[in-house]
Amino acid sequence: MGCGTSVTESQAKKSEKAIKAAILIQRWYRCAMARLEMRRRYALNIFQSIEYAEEQAQLQLSDFFTFMLDHFTQLNETDTDSVSHFFDGISDFNTTSSDLVLLEYEKMIEVPHSYRGPRLSFPLTAEDTAALLHAFKYHQQLHARYVLQLLHETRRVLRQMPNITHLSTSYSKEITICGDLHGKLDDLLLIFYKNGVPSEKNPYLFNGDFVDRGKNSMEILIILFAFLLVYPNDLHLNRGNHEDHLINLRYGFTKEVMKKYRYHGQKILHLLEDVFSWLPLATIIDSKVLILHGGISDTTDLDLLNLFSRNKMKSVLKPPKPHTEKKSSMNRTGLVEQHSSILKQMAKSPATSGYRGPHTNDRSDSEESTRRLHGGTRSDLPPQMHYLESSARKLPELTAKEWKQVVDILWSDPKTQKGCTSNKYRGAGCYFGPDVTSRLLKKYNLKMLIRSHECKQEGYEVIHGGKVITIFSASNYYEEGSNRGAYIKLNPDLIPRFVQYQVSKHTRKETLNQRVSVVESSALKSLREKIYTHKLELTETFKQYDPNDTGYISVGEWALAMESVLHLDLPWRTLRSRLVQLGSDESVDYLSCFDDLEIERPLKEVQPALVETFCRYRNDLEIIFNIIDKDHSGLISIEEFRQTWRFFSSHLNINIDDEAINKLAHAIDFNKDGSIDFNEFLEAFHVVHKFEKRKDQ
């Protein structure tokens, strides 16, 4: 008996030790996973903060476009039609029959025998969609003629659709709902592989933001529009905030189209702007589930959204003018007068009104014949305005109330707190709380709101007590491994089932820690570059907290300075160890956040302040220069460069010496032919990491 008792006690002690060891291992594992999760979350937070800051800048730039257009129109009141010619080539076909338009495209755009991509004939069939999927999987490109024909037919179908589409699950078992794709073709192909292609038995709804950021936005549009034409009752589309030609200028889609379809790119873009304006705004399933891209506000009116002419909203970034606005009120300030003076010079300048550059004769015969077919000669409008003319076309007048309704449903985000507040981080729409959600659902006898618009780490998120679902279908949105994608399967019981996935070409063999480290490193790199473009302003703010010029300030002061300049709403105290060096007393060596970074100076003539300004506003300047470069050759005149920069700097209230701009303009005209390759010029102004640069060398 005694021996047996001894064995039992020994086993008990061993078991106790094993349990304690297991608890310690489990505790260590949980702590390690919590640290990884924290790193992954703040990396995602950094990416999102920078993304929203860029959207704010885009909205501010749209104000610049609006001001530019309004004032040029005022200065040229004798030629009231001068801003209506840009889209004549597209509107000429609006009143003609569909068959005639398709025939005209066949006549004016020849498909060479050497073309090896898919050949389409209309009306499309399921075999055509299969051919497109196969071609794009192997990186083939659809010919411009078929793209234009496809877009024209898509517009014809979309125009017949209501603003709010009503669907029912009673005709099929489940409806698949996809969120943002953002040009990521691999995600769309993976969805079709896992879930099947759209068909009468497999309906889909894509909830906006098909384009921008990714490299294959055009292919995604072609696939979706082709399925829409084959299955108009089973493939459904909602408009997103990126289905907007002004947004596309900044986030890559415009450049993608011009790169892939150089000679016919402008025609494709013009037609796409019209197609985007006809996309439905929302969808309601079984009269219970509301699906729209962004969100709602406390003033969202589904009845109004269902009735107004949605094609009036060419761009949500150009609000309607108040009816009470008088022309004389536009010249209230000295800044406005300065802008107007510059515009007059631009209108009179020979360089801006007639400059074509050495690339003029590169136009193909087919492109020239197309120009004649679509309305003859161009107007005398300066090239700075040609892309903006679309905003001034004679369309039915859009009211401020209608504009706000659309902005709110395309740009808003949910929040956990009650109420409805301005979305200051995106610069448009609002933040809506659970009380706002409940009121709208109750008002329209709805059960649930499904929206997209926000990247979520797991591809989806459920908030507001299960009443609001966010679905995001672009995996690896910011960086390889940054997030999963997901889609929803909605059955007749209206119980959502989430399917997650992640396209993993390079990270399959990496550990979780390695994948998180890659995402974290990429996020911190982007943040450091953002910080460095504000070096002068940050240094000045830091020194206000350091009157004795010690080079050190407290952590609290450093965090306040960072947020006051960058406005990114980031946890700066948490990030301090990753961004700056700390003293023995935990004070911050504030200049260390600029270590290992520099902005290359491609020309000695460029002053340091001007270098930082060009680097900070490089994306904005690229958009403006692309507007000036109406044939997308990459070349603008010296006078266009100088006058546009003067106008833009006055808009931002940046004090840059005119002589410095003049010297710079002549210095970057390398071959002295009076033109500037602005893409090459802007590419030179970017933040570089000294260590990486040395390693590359």
PDB file of all heavy atoms in Angstrom, residues 145-174:
ATOM      1  N   ARG A 145     -11.012  48.203 -79.941  1.00  0.00           N
ATOM      2  CA  ARG A 145     -12.330  48.214 -80.596  1.00  0.00           C
ATOM      3  C   ARG A 145     -13.361  47.474 -79.753  1.00  0.00           C
ATOM      4  O   ARG A 145     -14.478  47.953 -79.525  1.00  0.00           O
ATOM      5  CB  ARG A 145     -12.266  47.577 -81.975  1.00  0.00           C
ATOM      6  CG  ARG A 145     -13.646  47.599 -82.668  1.00  0.00           C
ATOM      7  CD  ARG A 145     -13.882  46.379 -83.536  1.00  0.00           C
ATOM      8  NE  ARG A 145     -13.194  46.496 -84.805  1.00  0.00           N
ATOM      9  CZ  ARG A 145     -13.257  45.555 -85.753  1.00  0.00           C
ATOM     10  NH1 ARG A 145     -13.960  44.450 -85.532  1.00  0.00           N
ATOM     11  NH2 ARG A 145     -12.598  45.699 -86.889  1.00  0.00           N
ATOM     12  N   TYR A 146     -12.977  46.299 -79.261  1.00  0.00           N
ATOM     13  CA  TYR A 146     -13.904  45.508 -78.461  1.00  0.00           C
ATOM     14  C   TYR A 146     -14.187  46.184 -77.114  1.00  0.00           C
ATOM     15  O   TYR A 146     -15.299  46.079 -76.592  1.00  0.00           O
ATOM     16  CB  TYR A 146     -13.347  44.111 -78.251  1.00  0.00           C
ATOM     17  CG  TYR A 146     -13.047  43.377 -79.530  1.00  0.00           C
ATOM     18  CD1 TYR A 146     -11.780  42.837 -79.767  1.00  0.00           C
ATOM     19  CD2 TYR A 146     -14.014  43.235 -80.517  1.00  0.00           C
ATOM     20  CE1 TYR A 146     -11.505  42.166 -80.943  1.00  0.00           C
ATOM     21  CE2 TYR A 146     -13.737  42.564 -81.701  1.00  0.00           C
ATOM     22  CZ  TYR A 146     -12.484  42.040 -81.920  1.00  0.00           C
ATOM     23  OH  TYR A 146     -12.205  41.382 -83.086  1.00  0.00           O
ATOM     24  N   VAL A 147     -13.176  46.862 -76.561  1.00  0.00           N
ATOM     25  CA  VAL A 147     -13.386  47.580 -75.299  1.00  0.00           C
ATOM     26  C   VAL A 147     -14.432  48.674 -75.486  1.00  0.00           C
ATOM     27  O   VAL A 147     -15.370  48.803 -74.687  1.00  0.00           O
ATOM     28  CB  VAL A 147     -12.064  48.185 -74.795  1.00  0.00           C
ATOM     29  CG1 VAL A 147     -12.318  49.074 -73.573  1.00  0.00           C
ATOM     30  CG2 VAL A 147     -11.068  47.092 -74.437  1.00  0.00           C
ATOM     31  N   LEU A 148     -14.307  49.462 -76.533  1.00  0.00           N
ATOM     32  CA  LEU A 148     -15.257  50.538 -76.788  1.00  0.00           C
ATOM     33  C   LEU A 148     -16.657  49.991 -77.061  1.00  0.00           C
ATOM     34  O   LEU A 148     -17.658  50.538 -76.570  1.00  0.00           O
ATOM     35  CB  LEU A 148     -14.781  51.392 -77.962  1.00  0.00           C
ATOM     36  CG  LEU A 148     -13.577  52.301 -77.663  1.00  0.00           C
ATOM     37  CD1 LEU A 148     -12.965  52.834 -78.952  1.00  0.00           C
ATOM     38  CD2 LEU A 148     -13.992  53.448 -76.753  1.00  0.00           C
ATOM     39  N   GLN A 149     -16.734  48.922 -77.820  1.00  0.00           N
ATOM     40  CA  GLN A 149     -18.037  48.320 -78.082  1.00  0.00           C
ATOM     41  C   GLN A 149     -18.657  47.785 -76.790  1.00  0.00           C
ATOM     42  O   GLN A 149     -19.854  47.955 -76.538  1.00  0.00           O
ATOM     43  CB  GLN A 149     -17.886  47.186 -79.106  1.00  0.00           C
ATOM     44  CG  GLN A 149     -17.564  47.671 -80.507  1.00  0.00           C
ATOM     45  CD  GLN A 149     -17.335  46.508 -81.468  1.00  0.00           C
ATOM     46  OE1 GLN A 149     -16.680  45.526 -81.131  1.00  0.00           O
ATOM     47  NE2 GLN A 149     -17.881  46.626 -82.671  1.00  0.00           N
ATOM     48  N   LEU A 150     -17.824  47.144 -75.965  1.00  0.00           N
ATOM     49  CA  LEU A 150     -18.304  46.602 -74.696  1.00  0.00           C
ATOM     50  C   LEU A 150     -18.813  47.712 -73.783  1.00  0.00           C
ATOM     51  O   LEU A 150     -19.884  47.589 -73.162  1.00  0.00           O
ATOM     52  CB  LEU A 150     -17.173  45.828 -74.013  1.00  0.00           C
ATOM     53  CG  LEU A 150     -17.484  45.244 -72.627  1.00  0.00           C
ATOM     54  CD1 LEU A 150     -18.453  44.078 -72.745  1.00  0.00           C
ATOM     55  CD2 LEU A 150     -16.206  44.790 -71.938  1.00  0.00           C
ATOM     56  N   LEU A 151     -18.077  48.813 -73.699  1.00  0.00           N
ATOM     57  CA  LEU A 151     -18.480  49.923 -72.841  1.00  0.00           C
ATOM     58  C   LEU A 151     -19.768  50.563 -73.343  1.00  0.00           C
ATOM     59  O   LEU A 151     -20.634  50.956 -72.551  1.00  0.00           O
ATOM     60  CB  LEU A 151     -17.364  50.969 -72.769  1.00  0.00           C
ATOM     61  CG  LEU A 151     -16.080  50.528 -72.064  1.00  0.00           C
ATOM     62  CD1 LEU A 151     -15.046  51.635 -72.092  1.00  0.00           C
ATOM     63  CD2 LEU A 151     -16.357  50.101 -70.632  1.00  0.00           C
ATOM     64  N   HIS A 152     -19.893  50.686 -74.658  1.00  0.00           N
ATOM     65  CA  HIS A 152     -21.118  51.274 -75.201  1.00  0.00           C
ATOM     66  C   HIS A 152     -22.330  50.404 -74.872  1.00  0.00           C
ATOM     67  O   HIS A 152     -23.378  50.904 -74.443  1.00  0.00           O
ATOM     68  CB  HIS A 152     -21.003  51.444 -76.712  1.00  0.00           C
ATOM     69  CG  HIS A 152     -22.262  51.969 -77.331  1.00  0.00           C
ATOM     70  ND1 HIS A 152     -22.583  53.309 -77.342  1.00  0.00           N
ATOM     71  CD2 HIS A 152     -23.291  51.320 -77.920  1.00  0.00           C
ATOM     72  CE1 HIS A 152     -23.753  53.467 -77.925  1.00  0.00           C
ATOM     73  NE2 HIS A 152     -24.206  52.277 -78.292  1.00  0.00           N
ATOM     74  N   GLU A 153     -22.203  49.096 -75.044  1.00  0.00           N
ATOM     75  CA  GLU A 153     -23.310  48.197 -74.735  1.00  0.00           C
ATOM     76  C   GLU A 153     -23.604  48.174 -73.235  1.00  0.00           C
ATOM     77  O   GLU A 153     -24.763  48.087 -72.822  1.00  0.00           O
ATOM     78  CB  GLU A 153     -22.976  46.784 -75.226  1.00  0.00           C
ATOM     79  CG  GLU A 153     -23.018  46.631 -76.731  1.00  0.00           C
ATOM     80  CD  GLU A 153     -24.404  46.891 -77.284  1.00  0.00           C
ATOM     81  OE1 GLU A 153     -25.273  46.005 -77.196  1.00  0.00           O
ATOM     82  OE2 GLU A 153     -24.636  48.012 -77.780  1.00  0.00           O
ATOM     83  N   THR A 154     -22.549  48.274 -72.413  1.00  0.00           N
ATOM     84  CA  THR A 154     -22.739  48.317 -70.961  1.00  0.00           C
ATOM     85  C   THR A 154     -23.519  49.549 -70.562  1.00  0.00           C
ATOM     86  O   THR A 154     -24.440  49.483 -69.736  1.00  0.00           O
ATOM     87  CB  THR A 154     -21.376  48.296 -70.243  1.00  0.00           C
ATOM     88  OG1 THR A 154     -20.679  47.102 -70.584  1.00  0.00           O
ATOM     89  CG2 THR A 154     -21.566  48.356 -68.734  1.00  0.00           C
ATOM     90  N   ARG A 155     -23.169  50.682 -71.145  1.00  0.00           N
ATOM     91  CA  ARG A 155     -23.903  51.914 -70.838  1.00  0.00           C
ATOM     92  C   ARG A 155     -25.372  51.780 -71.233  1.00  0.00           C
ATOM     93  O   ARG A 155     -26.266  52.218 -70.495  1.00  0.00           O
ATOM     94  CB  ARG A 155     -23.271  53.108 -71.556  1.00  0.00           C
ATOM     95  CG  ARG A 155     -24.000  54.423 -71.302  1.00  0.00           C
ATOM     96  CD  ARG A 155     -23.319  55.588 -71.959  1.00  0.00           C
ATOM     97  NE  ARG A 155     -23.254  55.436 -73.402  1.00  0.00           N
ATOM     98  CZ  ARG A 155     -22.737  56.367 -74.207  1.00  0.00           C
ATOM     99  NH1 ARG A 155     -22.226  57.473 -73.697  1.00  0.00           N
ATOM    100  NH2 ARG A 155     -22.700  56.174 -75.512  1.00  0.00           N
ATOM    101  N   ARG A 156     -25.626  51.162 -72.380  1.00  0.00           N
ATOM    102  CA  ARG A 156     -27.004  50.984 -72.833  1.00  0.00           C
ATOM    103  C   ARG A 156     -27.805  50.167 -71.816  1.00  0.00           C
ATOM    104  O   ARG A 156     -28.964  50.502 -71.504  1.00  0.00           O
ATOM    105  CB  ARG A 156     -27.006  50.291 -74.194  1.00  0.00           C
ATOM    106  CG  ARG A 156     -28.392  50.031 -74.765  1.00  0.00           C
ATOM    107  CD  ARG A 156     -28.313  49.304 -76.088  1.00  0.00           C
ATOM    108  NE  ARG A 156     -27.647  48.014 -75.988  1.00  0.00           N
ATOM    109  CZ  ARG A 156     -28.236  46.909 -75.534  1.00  0.00           C
ATOM    110  NH1 ARG A 156     -29.507  46.942 -75.133  1.00  0.00           N
ATOM    111  NH2 ARG A 156     -27.559  45.769 -75.481  1.00  0.00           N
ATOM    112  N   VAL A 157     -27.210  49.098 -71.279  1.00  0.00           N
ATOM    113  CA  VAL A 157     -27.895  48.261 -70.297  1.00  0.00           C
ATOM    114  C   VAL A 157     -28.069  48.991 -68.972  1.00  0.00           C
ATOM    115  O   VAL A 157     -29.150  48.956 -68.357  1.00  0.00           O
ATOM    116  CB  VAL A 157     -27.118  46.941 -70.083  1.00  0.00           C
ATOM    117  CG1 VAL A 157     -27.693  46.147 -68.918  1.00  0.00           C
ATOM    118  CG2 VAL A 157     -27.154  46.102 -71.360  1.00  0.00           C
ATOM    119  N   LEU A 158     -27.029  49.682 -68.523  1.00  0.00           N
ATOM    120  CA  LEU A 158     -27.089  50.376 -67.233  1.00  0.00           C
ATOM    121  C   LEU A 158     -28.138  51.482 -67.227  1.00  0.00           C
ATOM    122  O   LEU A 158     -28.781  51.742 -66.201  1.00  0.00           O
ATOM    123  CB  LEU A 158     -25.715  50.950 -66.877  1.00  0.00           C
ATOM    124  CG  LEU A 158     -24.629  49.947 -66.498  1.00  0.00           C
ATOM    125  CD1 LEU A 158     -23.297  50.656 -66.295  1.00  0.00           C
ATOM    126  CD2 LEU A 158     -25.005  49.171 -65.243  1.00  0.00           C
ATOM    127  N   ARG A 159     -28.304  52.158 -68.352  1.00  0.00           N
ATOM    128  CA  ARG A 159     -29.271  53.257 -68.415  1.00  0.00           C
ATOM    129  C   ARG A 159     -30.695  52.778 -68.169  1.00  0.00           C
ATOM    130  O   ARG A 159     -31.556  53.565 -67.767  1.00  0.00           O
ATOM    131  CB  ARG A 159     -29.179  53.948 -69.776  1.00  0.00           C
ATOM    132  CG  ARG A 159     -27.902  54.744 -69.958  1.00  0.00           C
ATOM    133  CD  ARG A 159     -27.798  55.350 -71.336  1.00  0.00           C
ATOM    134  NE  ARG A 159     -28.785  56.394 -71.547  1.00  0.00           N
ATOM    135  CZ  ARG A 159     -28.791  57.211 -72.595  1.00  0.00           C
ATOM    136  NH1 ARG A 159     -27.858  57.088 -73.534  1.00  0.00           N
ATOM    137  NH2 ARG A 159     -29.713  58.131 -72.718  1.00  0.00           N
ATOM    138  N   GLN A 160     -30.943  51.505 -68.397  1.00  0.00           N
ATOM    139  CA  GLN A 160     -32.287  50.966 -68.194  1.00  0.00           C
ATOM    140  C   GLN A 160     -32.530  50.535 -66.747  1.00  0.00           C
ATOM    141  O   GLN A 160     -33.651  50.176 -66.390  1.00  0.00           O
ATOM    142  CB  GLN A 160     -32.491  49.765 -69.129  1.00  0.00           C
ATOM    143  CG  GLN A 160     -32.322  50.102 -70.601  1.00  0.00           C
ATOM    144  CD  GLN A 160     -32.294  48.852 -71.478  1.00  0.00           C
ATOM    145  OE1 GLN A 160     -32.633  47.758 -71.034  1.00  0.00           O
ATOM    146  NE2 GLN A 160     -31.880  49.016 -72.724  1.00  0.00           N
ATOM    147  N   MET A 161     -31.504  50.592 -65.927  1.00  0.00           N
ATOM    148  CA  MET A 161     -31.621  50.112 -64.553  1.00  0.00           C
ATOM    149  C   MET A 161     -32.021  51.235 -63.607  1.00  0.00           C
ATOM    150  O   MET A 161     -31.718  52.398 -63.837  1.00  0.00           O
ATOM    151  CB  MET A 161     -30.295  49.492 -64.094  1.00  0.00           C
ATOM    152  CG  MET A 161     -29.923  48.239 -64.862  1.00  0.00           C
ATOM    153  SD  MET A 161     -28.381  47.506 -64.253  1.00  0.00           S
ATOM    154  CE  MET A 161     -28.328  46.012 -65.244  1.00  0.00           C
ATOM    155  N   PRO A 162     -32.693  50.888 -62.504  1.00  0.00           N
ATOM    156  CA  PRO A 162     -33.074  51.901 -61.510  1.00  0.00           C
ATOM    157  C   PRO A 162     -31.885  52.318 -60.654  1.00  0.00           C
ATOM    158  O   PRO A 162     -30.840  51.660 -60.663  1.00  0.00           O
ATOM    159  CB  PRO A 162     -34.135  51.176 -60.677  1.00  0.00           C
ATOM    160  CG  PRO A 162     -33.729  49.735 -60.755  1.00  0.00           C
ATOM    161  CD  PRO A 162     -33.169  49.550 -62.146  1.00  0.00           C
ATOM    162  N   ASN A 163     -32.046  53.393 -59.904  1.00  0.00           N
ATOM    163  CA  ASN A 163     -30.994  53.836 -58.985  1.00  0.00           C
ATOM    164  C   ASN A 163     -30.739  52.807 -57.893  1.00  0.00           C
ATOM    165  O   ASN A 163     -29.608  52.587 -57.482  1.00  0.00           O
ATOM    166  CB  ASN A 163     -31.369  55.172 -58.348  1.00  0.00           C
ATOM    167  CG  ASN A 163     -31.386  56.303 -59.350  1.00  0.00           C
ATOM    168  OD1 ASN A 163     -31.148  56.098 -60.538  1.00  0.00           O
ATOM    169  ND2 ASN A 163     -31.669  57.503 -58.881  1.00  0.00           N
ATOM    170  N   ILE A 164     -31.818  52.197 -57.398  1.00  0.00           N
ATOM    171  CA  ILE A 164     -31.713  51.170 -56.360  1.00  0.00           C
ATOM    172  C   ILE A 164     -32.286  49.873 -56.921  1.00  0.00           C
ATOM    173  O   ILE A 164     -33.461  49.789 -57.269  1.00  0.00           O
ATOM    174  CB  ILE A 164     -32.469  51.574 -55.080  1.00  0.00           C
ATOM    175  CG1 ILE A 164     -31.873  52.868 -54.503  1.00  0.00           C
ATOM    176  CG2 ILE A 164     -32.398  50.458 -54.038  1.00  0.00           C
ATOM    177  CD1 ILE A 164     -32.569  53.375 -53.255  1.00  0.00           C
ATOM    178  N   THR A 165     -31.441  48.859 -57.023  1.00  0.00           N
ATOM    179  CA  THR A 165     -31.839  47.571 -57.579  1.00  0.00           C
ATOM    180  C   THR A 165     -32.492  46.713 -56.498  1.00  0.00           C
ATOM    181  O   THR A 165     -32.005  46.654 -55.366  1.00  0.00           O
ATOM    182  CB  THR A 165     -30.614  46.831 -58.144  1.00  0.00           C
ATOM    183  OG1 THR A 165     -29.927  47.679 -59.063  1.00  0.00           O
ATOM    184  CG2 THR A 165     -31.034  45.553 -58.848  1.00  0.00           C
ATOM    185  N   HIS A 166     -33.584  46.046 -56.845  1.00  0.00           N
ATOM    186  CA  HIS A 166     -34.259  45.146 -55.900  1.00  0.00           C
ATOM    187  C   HIS A 166     -34.071  43.709 -56.362  1.00  0.00           C
ATOM    188  O   HIS A 166     -34.414  43.359 -57.496  1.00  0.00           O
ATOM    189  CB  HIS A 166     -35.743  45.492 -55.798  1.00  0.00           C
ATOM    190  CG  HIS A 166     -36.005  46.747 -55.029  1.00  0.00           C
ATOM    191  ND1 HIS A 166     -36.360  46.749 -53.698  1.00  0.00           N
ATOM    192  CD2 HIS A 166     -35.933  48.046 -55.410  1.00  0.00           C
ATOM    193  CE1 HIS A 166     -36.512  48.007 -53.287  1.00  0.00           C
ATOM    194  NE2 HIS A 166     -36.257  48.808 -54.306  1.00  0.00           N
ATOM    195  N   LEU A 167     -33.523  42.869 -55.484  1.00  0.00           N
ATOM    196  CA  LEU A 167     -33.263  41.471 -55.785  1.00  0.00           C
ATOM    197  C   LEU A 167     -34.021  40.577 -54.816  1.00  0.00           C
ATOM    198  O   LEU A 167     -34.463  41.022 -53.755  1.00  0.00           O
ATOM    199  CB  LEU A 167     -31.764  41.162 -55.690  1.00  0.00           C
ATOM    200  CG  LEU A 167     -30.810  42.015 -56.521  1.00  0.00           C
ATOM    201  CD1 LEU A 167     -29.371  41.569 -56.287  1.00  0.00           C
ATOM    202  CD2 LEU A 167     -31.162  41.939 -57.994  1.00  0.00           C
ATOM    203  N   SER A 168     -34.122  39.318 -55.181  1.00  0.00           N
ATOM    204  CA  SER A 168     -34.788  38.346 -54.325  1.00  0.00           C
ATOM    205  C   SER A 168     -33.990  37.055 -54.300  1.00  0.00           C
ATOM    206  O   SER A 168     -33.458  36.619 -55.321  1.00  0.00           O
ATOM    207  CB  SER A 168     -36.206  38.067 -54.836  1.00  0.00           C
ATOM    208  OG  SER A 168     -36.813  37.032 -54.082  1.00  0.00           O
ATOM    209  N   THR A 169     -33.905  36.457 -53.124  1.00  0.00           N
ATOM    210  CA  THR A 169     -33.209  35.177 -52.995  1.00  0.00           C
ATOM    211  C   THR A 169     -34.130  34.003 -53.276  1.00  0.00           C
ATOM    212  O   THR A 169     -33.704  32.863 -53.268  1.00  0.00           O
ATOM    213  CB  THR A 169     -32.632  35.004 -51.578  1.00  0.00           C
ATOM    214  OG1 THR A 169     -33.706  35.126 -50.623  1.00  0.00           O
ATOM    215  CG2 THR A 169     -31.579  36.036 -51.285  1.00  0.00           C
ATOM    216  N   SER A 170     -35.398  34.268 -53.534  1.00  0.00           N
ATOM    217  CA  SER A 170     -36.353  33.184 -53.733  1.00  0.00           C
ATOM    218  C   SER A 170     -36.127  32.444 -55.043  1.00  0.00           C
ATOM    219  O   SER A 170     -36.579  31.325 -55.211  1.00  0.00           O
ATOM    220  CB  SER A 170     -37.785  33.727 -53.699  1.00  0.00           C
ATOM    221  OG  SER A 170     -37.995  34.672 -54.732  1.00  0.00           O
ATOM    222  N   TYR A 171     -35.419  33.085 -55.976  1.00  0.00           N
ATOM    223  CA  TYR A 171     -35.172  32.462 -57.266  1.00  0.00           C
ATOM    224  C   TYR A 171     -33.872  31.662 -57.288  1.00  0.00           C
ATOM    225  O   TYR A 171     -33.562  30.994 -58.265  1.00  0.00           O
ATOM    226  CB  TYR A 171     -35.123  33.534 -58.357  1.00  0.00           C
ATOM    227  CG  TYR A 171     -36.414  34.309 -58.473  1.00  0.00           C
ATOM    228  CD1 TYR A 171     -36.463  35.657 -58.145  1.00  0.00           C
ATOM    229  CD2 TYR A 171     -37.576  33.678 -58.879  1.00  0.00           C
ATOM    230  CE1 TYR A 171     -37.649  36.364 -58.225  1.00  0.00           C
ATOM    231  CE2 TYR A 171     -38.772  34.375 -58.970  1.00  0.00           C
ATOM    232  CZ  TYR A 171     -38.805  35.723 -58.638  1.00  0.00           C
ATOM    233  OH  TYR A 171     -39.978  36.418 -58.717  1.00  0.00           O
ATOM    234  N   SER A 172     -33.106  31.747 -56.251  1.00  0.00           N
ATOM    235  CA  SER A 172     -31.867  30.978 -56.169  1.00  0.00           C
ATOM    236  C   SER A 172     -31.566  30.701 -54.711  1.00  0.00           C
ATOM    237  O   SER A 172     -32.170  31.277 -53.816  1.00  0.00           O
ATOM    238  CB  SER A 172     -30.710  31.750 -56.807  1.00  0.00           C
ATOM    239  OG  SER A 172     -30.460  32.927 -56.076  1.00  0.00           O
ATOM    240  N   LYS A 173     -30.640  29.805 -54.474  1.00  0.00           N
ATOM    241  CA  LYS A 173     -30.349  29.452 -53.089  1.00  0.00           C
ATOM    242  C   LYS A 173     -29.591  30.563 -52.367  1.00  0.00           C
ATOM    243  O   LYS A 173     -29.902  30.893 -51.234  1.00  0.00           O
ATOM    244  CB  LYS A 173     -29.556  28.152 -53.046  1.00  0.00           C
ATOM    245  CG  LYS A 173     -30.348  26.930 -53.503  1.00  0.00           C
ATOM    246  CD  LYS A 173     -29.528  25.662 -53.366  1.00  0.00           C
ATOM    247  CE  LYS A 173     -30.334  24.447 -53.786  1.00  0.00           C
ATOM    248  NZ  LYS A 173     -29.550  23.191 -53.652  1.00  0.00           N
ATOM    249  N   GLU A 174     -28.584  31.127 -53.026  1.00  0.00           N
ATOM    250  CA  GLU A 174     -27.748  32.130 -52.363  1.00  0.00           C
ATOM    251  C   GLU A 174     -27.303  33.200 -53.358  1.00  0.00           C
ATOM    252  O   GLU A 174     -27.133  32.923 -54.551  1.00  0.00           O
ATOM    253  CB  GLU A 174     -26.501  31.490 -51.739  1.00  0.00           C
ATOM    254  CG  GLU A 174     -26.792  30.575 -50.571  1.00  0.00           C
ATOM    255  CD  GLU A 174     -25.532  29.966 -49.993  1.00  0.00           C
ATOM    256  OE1 GLU A 174     -24.715  29.470 -50.776  1.00  0.00           O
ATOM    257  OE2 GLU A 174     -25.367  29.992 -48.758  1.00  0.00           O
TER     258      GLU A 174
END
